[in-house]
DNA sequence: TTGTACGCGTTATCAT
DNA sequence: ATGATAACGCGTACAA
């Protein structure tokens, strides 16, 4: 489509061989200051920059990392994407953002990323089914894969996640200390392993406090309207005296949706009638309107770890990082 | 880094020439059913897929589009990114997400995208200074560029934006009809041309109603805390009887920050004491907690237009699309 | 330090 | 329909 200056053209203009031009652009190559200066000058004049495409073909490494995302409803994705792009770019990598929704077949997306020769694939909070990956004969030519902010049960695909056990223990301890006695849990998508883990730990630690009856609510997806619909169903079907006194939602966006419904449609108070806890520490959850008690994922640290694995600086293995309980008014 | 099967290897295994292999993967190429079947079979056995990198080098077109973003605080970016990735992918293109913040020099980012041979560059809501672009001698080897969701005054760089004149006219008409008499406007970043346009139109249409005294507020950036800080400064410095009765914020995230501050810290009511209007129609603005009156940008249509320009289906020129006034409780 | 073959995997074009 | 040659722009290995 466009025409760019090539190393060969620069070489001719500068009166050297094209390999000298290459060397001028290769850090640490053996070349005289004189030659280098001359090359760089004419290169600037001709508007020449190395063609990274050709370089990738020759070196068999592209510096591109595919980031798969399948759910754009959770605003939490945005700061993660910011951290990902910033840190990867600082490491000389660039993010290929790939939307994996229902319209776009997962296997095709993986093959496509592979065809583009990406250096790595990050499954960022996606609802990938394990079979999708195992079908592809991992390790057999596919780029290294990593799961970010979700569990992975797949052999050879390490995950980097917030420590769910620690998180739920702190949350339950806090709720118990506050005197709540009738807990409930709202899941966003029961099929996901992460969902089950958080819910399991929630139940497990309440059981340690002697509370075994946990109300279970389900939202169709991770969005405010889905959270609202879920709590609406629950409140409509449950008599006032049977209701939970505290509801933990699997993430902040569900919690916000639930809170709005509780206060707006049912005229109940948070936390007096029902206390609410979220997960993620989405910025607006901390606003005056919500004052949401939540748990912060160590975003930057998680991205750092994934980056190190991609760069081969640490062994690729599943790692859990501690987050931080954020107590506000809602619980 | 990894090893992939090549067309040559498949050719040897299938007992044909490598060009026959290529043809088997080229839609509409002349090849016998027999050969094609044989090639595809052995290709599947060897796990071969065409190397898009090599193809790009040969065809001089990568199918990659760089999307520049410099501000991840506005949750509005997320649905836009969803729309961008989905529509571009459906058109056979893939998004390179490039974070342009203060740590990353704008010119370098442009050159980097150029070096990667992207087919186009989308400046998505970025605060690019015009000089940054003109310095780069546009059209002189750089990929075609488009500005999305911001104005562009740059020759040869078309913009696709929501029609600000129409939007502000509808908004001011609505506010005037509601009986508000003392309007104010909060800008997110005075240097940006879009900011000025919205503010200008706001003032212009109020002037038509005979109101020439518009209070001007400034937020340091587009974020809820910045919006809160701005209104806090204003309310602290302005006596109750001198205050605005309606405040239009340049976008929803500023509006939400302002609303929280007004109600949470100052104990004032929205809209009774101060009415609030935003811009963008961010999902949570429509929640019970905020009930924000706002203006919806035609996201999907805007992305469609940019895509058509990239694909060369329509002439690249600045286009403004009509949005939609969303009236809720806040004004 | 500098110059020369050759290879990376594909596409375009021509000859068979 | 198939095979062969050249070209895309750069990197590596080796020779001068």
């Amino acid at each position: 489509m466009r025409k760019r200056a090539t190393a060969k053209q620069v070489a001719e203009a500068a009166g050297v061989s094209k390999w000298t031009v290459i060397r001028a652009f290769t850090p640490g190559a053996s070349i005289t200051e004189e030659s280098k200066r001359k090359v760089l000058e004419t290169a600037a004049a001709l508007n020449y920059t190395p063609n990274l495409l050709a370089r990738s073909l020759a070196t068999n490494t592209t510096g591109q990392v595919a980031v798969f995302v399948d759910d754009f409803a959770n605003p939490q994705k945005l700061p993660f994407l910011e951290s990902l792009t910033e840190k990867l770019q600082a490491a000389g990598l660039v993010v290929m953002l790939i939307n994996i929704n229902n319209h776009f077949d997962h296997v095709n997306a993986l093959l496509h990323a592979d065809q583009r020769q990406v250096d790595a694939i990050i499954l960022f909070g996606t609802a990938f089914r394990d079979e999708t990956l195992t079908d592809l004969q991992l390790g057999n030519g596919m780029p290294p894969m990593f799961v970010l902010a979700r569990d992975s049960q797949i052999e050879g695909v390490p995950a980097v996640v917030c420590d769910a056990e620690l998180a739920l223990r702190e949350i339950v301890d806090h709720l118990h200390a506050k005197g709540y006695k009738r807990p409930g849990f709202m899941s966003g998508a029961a099929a996901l392993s992460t969902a089950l883990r958080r819910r399991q730990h929630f139940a497990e630690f309440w059981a340690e406090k002697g509370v075994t009856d946990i109300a279970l609510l389900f939202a169709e997806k991770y969005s405010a309207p889905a959270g609202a619909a879920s709590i609406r169903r629950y409140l409509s079907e449950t008599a006032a005296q049977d209701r939970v006194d505290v509801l933990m939602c699997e993430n902040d966006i569900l919690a916000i949706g639930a809170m709005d419904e509780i206060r707006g449609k049912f005229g109940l108070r948070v936390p007096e009638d029902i206390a609410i806890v979220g997960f993620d520490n989405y910025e607006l959850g901390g606003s005056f309107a919500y004052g949401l008690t939540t748990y912060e994922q160590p975003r930057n640290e998680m991205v750092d770890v994934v980056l190190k694995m991609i760069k081969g600086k640490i062994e690729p293995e599943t790692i859990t990082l501690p987050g931080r309980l954020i107590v506000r008014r809602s619980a």
Side-chain angles (χ1 to χ4, degrees), chain A:
Chain A
M1 63 193 317
R2 295 160 289 112
K3 288 249 304 265
R4 319 173 78 255
T6 76
K8 193 176 173 185
Q9 292 170 3
V10 175
E12 286 168 4
V16 297
S17 74
K18 78 169 185 181
W19 296 273
T20 306
V21 175
I22 302 280
R23 288 190 181 95
F25 283 90
T26 306
S30 60
I31 184 175
T32 24
E33 274 306 313
E34 171 63 15
S35 306
K36 186 166 184 175
R37 188 191 51 72
K38 192 168 57 182
V39 169
L40 291 183
E41 269 179 11
T42 59
L46 268 62
N47 236 317
Y48 166 82
T49 51
N51 183 334
L52 262 37
L53 213 58
R55 175 180 293 175
S56 295
L57 186 62
T59 59
N60 205 20
T61 158
T62 58
Q64 302 198 136
V65 174
V67 174
F68 284 23
V69 177
D70 67 354
D71 169 22
F72 289 80
N74 188 346
Q76 162 80 352
K77 302 276 177 182
L78 207 44
F80 253 119
L81 282 178
E82 176 173 25
S83 183
L84 272 169
T85 49
E86 180 173 331
K87 288 177 185 294
L88 291 191
Q89 283 174 198
L93 299 171
V94 68
V95 167
M96 259 178 54
L97 183 62
I98 300 194
N99 184 341
I100 303 294
N101 52 30
N102 296 331
H103 312 300
F104 198 62
D105 182 44
H106 290 197
V107 174
N108 281 341
L110 280 172
L111 291 177
H112 184 81
D114 182 39
Q115 286 182 298
R116 296 243 181 221
Q117 313 289 92
V118 299
D119 289 348
I121 297 177
I122 297 177
L123 268 35
F124 169 35
T126 52
F128 249 87
R129 292 171 312 124
D130 291 2
E131 307 86 58
T132 305
L133 297 179
T134 46
D135 284 357
L136 280 168
Q137 299 172 311
L138 288 175
N140 197 1
M142 291 298 289
M145 300 191 25
F146 307 91
V147 174
L148 178 61
R150 268 237 191 304
D151 275 344
S152 162
Q153 310 296 347
I154 311 158
E155 180 78 16
V157 180
V160 178
V161 294
C162 175
D163 188 335
E165 182 173 348
L166 175 64
L168 273 299
R169 183 179 289 283
E170 288 188 37
I171 290 170
V172 171
D173 279 351
H174 168 73
L175 297 180
H176 183 254
K178 277 269 197 168
Y180 296 111
K181 291 182 169 37
R182 305 176 56 80
F185 190 94
M186 183 191 290
S187 296
L192 299 180
S193 46
T194 301
L196 297 174
R197 290 281 280 273
R198 285 185 191 162
R199 198 176 67 199
Q200 279 171 358
H201 288 306
F202 189 73
E204 175 187 346
F205 296 131
W206 270 114
E208 290 182 6
K209 313 286 187 192
V211 179
T212 54
D213 188 24
I214 311 274
L216 297 181
L217 283 71
F218 296 94
E220 302 228 327
K221 46 182 186 171
Y222 295 98
S223 72
S230 177
I231 189 77
R232 185 186 321 137
R233 217 159 35 232
Y234 173 77
L235 292 178
S236 307
E237 295 170 351
T238 315
Q241 68 273 16
D242 297 331
R243 289 174 184 161
V244 299
D245 59 1
V246 59
L247 177 68
M248 156 117 209
C249 299
E250 199 190 327
N251 73 17
D252 282 357
I253 198 69
L254 286 178
I256 284 176
M259 255 173 106
D260 265 323
E261 191 75 8
I262 289 170
R263 303 195 293 199
K265 293 282 169 38
F266 289 85
L268 299 174
R269 296 160 304 164
V270 175
E272 293 83 353
D273 297 313
I274 298 182
I276 298 283
V277 183
F279 205 105
D280 280 349
N281 193 27
Y282 168 51
E283 187 185 13
L284 278 190
S287 69
F288 168 76
Y290 296 110
L292 184 63
T293 292
T294 186
Y295 202 86
E296 184 176 76
Q297 297 201 48
R299 282 195 282 265
N300 288 324
E301 290 79 358
M302 289 166 71
V303 172
D304 282 337
V305 167
V306 171
L307 179 55
K308 279 180 191 162
M309 287 186 190
I310 291 176
K311 285 283 190 178
K313 292 184 178 171
I314 60 176
E315 213 55 37
E317 57 176 346
T318 291
I319 287 187
T320 61
L321 297 172
R324 191 165 61 97
L325 179 66
I326 312 255
V327 177
R328 299 202 187 94
R329 306 188 313 277
S330 77

